[in-house]
């Protein structure tokens, strides 16, 4: 009987912790989803510069330029390799048909047909569009992971793991804030 009771106590404690963390993160989630990108003449000029770069060319903006056209959360994730909160981001539960683009440079990254529910609270895909991403070893936080970056603008998108579904067996675990969903018409 004792063997059964201990796992149940852990499960309850774990569930209560998870609920508490979700409540704390909810306010940050609402704030992050409601942030708009800045809109002033200087920002418009930087966006025009970005739009003038052909899609097959690399994008190189300064950190100050990125700060002008990205929201603070996007900048934290995409330029500083941060991570958004799980289960309260824009696309974790999106099941629409369409395409996912890089939120910074509009590079096509994923087709929605490769998206699956990983149970992690972040949008997950089993395969990117060919040539759309680059990967690097990431040893931050005492872990060994594979970081995924946009091949066009070098923005951090998330990480890839070898625990995904067929046909690739990979799970591209992405930050919603780093993506822009374009619904199929």
């Amino acid at each position: 009987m004792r063997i059964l009771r201990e796992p149940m106590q852990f499960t309850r404690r774990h569930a209560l912790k998870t609920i508490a963390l979700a409540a704390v993160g909810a306010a940050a989630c609402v704030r992050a989803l409601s942030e708009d990108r800045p809109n002033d003449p200087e920002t418009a000029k930087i966006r025009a510069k970005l739009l003038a770069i052909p899609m097959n060319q690399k994008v190189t903006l300064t950190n100050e330029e990125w700060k002008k056209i990205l929201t603070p959360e996007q900048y934290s994730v995409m330029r500083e390799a941060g991570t958004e909160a799980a289960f309260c981001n824009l696309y974790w539960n999106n099941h629409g048909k369409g395409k996912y683009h890089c939120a910074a440079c509009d590079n096509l990254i994923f087709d929605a047909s490769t998206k699956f529910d990983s149970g992690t609270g972040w949008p997950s895909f089993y395969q990117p569009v060919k040539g759309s991403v680059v990967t690097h070893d990431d040893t931050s936080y005492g872990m060994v992971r594979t970081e995924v970056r946009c091949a066009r603008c070098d923005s951090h998108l998330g990480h890839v793991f070898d625990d995904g579904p067929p046909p690739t067996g990979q799970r591209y675990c992405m930050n919603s804030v780093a993506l822009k969903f374009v619904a199929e018409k």
Side-chain angles (χ1 to χ4, degrees):
M1 186 95 159
R2 182 179 166 106
I3 293 172
L4 295 175
R5 196 176 309 154
E6 285 179 14
M8 291 174 68
Q9 288 173 350
F10 172 76
T11 302
R12 281 190 213 123
R13 194 170 40 237
H14 180 69
L16 290 173
K17 260 185 170 176
T18 303
I19 291 167
L21 287 172
V24 169
C29 179
V30 170
R31 184 180 64 249
L33 292 177
S34 65
E35 287 179 347
D36 282 335
R37 293 179 180 176
N39 196 11
D40 59 47
E42 187 179 346
T43 302
K45 192 182 291 186
I46 297 166
R47 284 193 186 118
K49 174 183 171 180
L50 180 61
L51 287 172
I53 301 170
M55 289 303 289
N56 63 351
Q57 289 186 9
K58 287 283 241 180
V59 172
T60 54
L61 298 180
T62 67
N63 285 337
E64 290 307 312
E65 289 173 319
W66 285 121
K67 281 182 184 176
K68 282 285 194 181
I69 63 172
L70 299 173
T71 67
E73 186 181 22
Q74 285 176 319
Y75 187 85
S76 171
V77 169
M78 300 180 81
R79 307 313 302 173
E80 297 174 332
T83 301
E84 67 189 353
F87 295 107
C88 71
N89 54 70
L90 192 56
Y91 301 128
W92 79 271
N93 200 25
N94 179 32
H95 302 288
K97 291 182 180 181
K99 310 272 187 218
Y100 290 86
H101 296 254
C102 173
C105 74
D106 204 36
N107 187 26
L108 176 59
I109 306 291
F110 295 102
D111 187 287
S113 66
T114 67
K115 189 173 186 289
F116 68 97
D117 183 4
S118 65
T120 62
W122 288 282
S124 297
F125 305 84
Y126 63 78
Q127 181 176 335
V129 170
K130 187 175 182 180
S132 65
V133 300
V134 293
T135 59
H136 302 283
D137 289 340
D138 178 2
T139 57
S140 62
Y141 304 107
M143 296 182 272
V144 178
R145 300 177 291 175
T146 303
E147 179 187 21
V148 178
R149 290 186 166 266
C150 174
R152 184 167 183 245
C153 70
D154 202 38
S155 287
H156 172 79
L157 303 173
H159 292 88
V160 61
F161 303 93
D162 291 327
D163 60 0
T168 65
Q170 295 187 311
R171 173 175 51 97
Y172 285 81
C173 188
M174 302 292 101
N175 289 285
S176 285
V177 74
L179 300 173
K180 176 178 70 175
F181 178 69
V182 179
E184 213 173 74
K185 293 181 184 179

